[in-house]
Amino acid sequence: MQGAVDEREVAKFEAMAAEWWDPEGKFRPLHMLNPCRLDYITGQISAHFARAPRAAGWLAGLRILDIGCGGGLLCEPMARLGADVVGVDAAERNIPVARLHAERAGLAIDYRHGTAEGLAAAGERFDVVLNMEVVEHVPDPAAYLAACAGLLRPGGLMITSTINRTARSFALAIVGAEYVLRWLPRGTHDWRRFITPQELGAMLQAAGLGPVDRKGFVFDPLRWSWTISDRDLAVNYVIAAERPAA
């Protein structure tokens, strides 16, 4: 199982674990992006499972896995909407941070130190797998995505977000975010590990999933906020893919 993760990548996030819930700290970019991510995730789940998002507890009955859960920025909203949530992270120091915050919020979330490969080997299955900003940090993206796909029940949905490998992503996600704005520590990302939408789509299909939607997450420096784009996938983007029901 240890071969499924890059220990150097894990160490980067363990060093920042205590700051997960500080909106002005090292995870400020994720706090800013989170409303956009949640809009996309809930929209895709609502459409895929034919559920009305305005109903109280509308995710009840769905088992959702957040891989690379960090401090629980996505797990907690999913739990509040009624889902049975499991959060898994390869960085062990993230788990007590996430557990403590959930306990203080009165939320029952199953946080675990582990990997997607470990869960697959244990026979775990989920209706939804959230795979957000993780795939660019693993040593073998294709094998990792195949393990994630194996965690889906028939008819399940996986949502994967990452960063495109373009000149613009180098300028914004690395030079801008790490060196100019200093949103992230230098070295958080390696541009060579970024994945194009075409590459990600092909890997998802090779894993037995059918991509059903893809969008861009675009930062607007004038409004200082993120929006979902149908056309601009040049930097941050997301793909929703389903496992066939039969």
Side-chain angles (χ1 to χ4, degrees), residues 49-181:
F49 293 98
R51 297 196 174 200
R54 294 185 179 180
W58 67 276
L59 292 182
L62 293 180
R63 192 170 191 233
I64 296 180
L65 170 66
D66 183 14
I67 303 175
C69 63
L73 298 186
L74 288 175
C75 289
E76 291 199 7
M78 296 295 101
R80 286 192 180 95
L81 294 173
D84 176 11
V85 180
V86 176
V88 172
D89 205 297
E92 188 172 6
R93 287 179 59 190
N94 288 336
I95 300 305
V97 174
R99 285 175 178 162
L100 179 61
H101 198 273
E103 288 171 5
R104 289 175 173 172
L107 297 171
I109 299 172
D110 182 1
Y111 285 115
R112 309 179 193 177
H113 171 230
T115 65
E117 292 82 357
L119 289 174
E124 297 272 8
R125 294 294 181 269
F126 300 87
D127 299 293
V128 179
V129 172
L130 303 180
N131 199 343
M132 313 297 282
E133 291 83 41
V134 176
V135 68
E136 69 271 22
H137 296 286
V138 301
D140 188 342
Y144 165 75
L145 289 169
C148 295
L151 292 167
L152 281 175
R153 291 169 175 162
L157 181 72
M158 183 158 76
I159 300 176
T160 306
S161 65
T162 189
I163 306 176
N164 200 347
R165 192 176 63 256
T166 62
R168 190 167 149 206
S169 72
F170 183 84
L172 296 179
I174 294 182
V175 177
E178 296 183 14
Y179 288 83
V180 179
L181 296 173

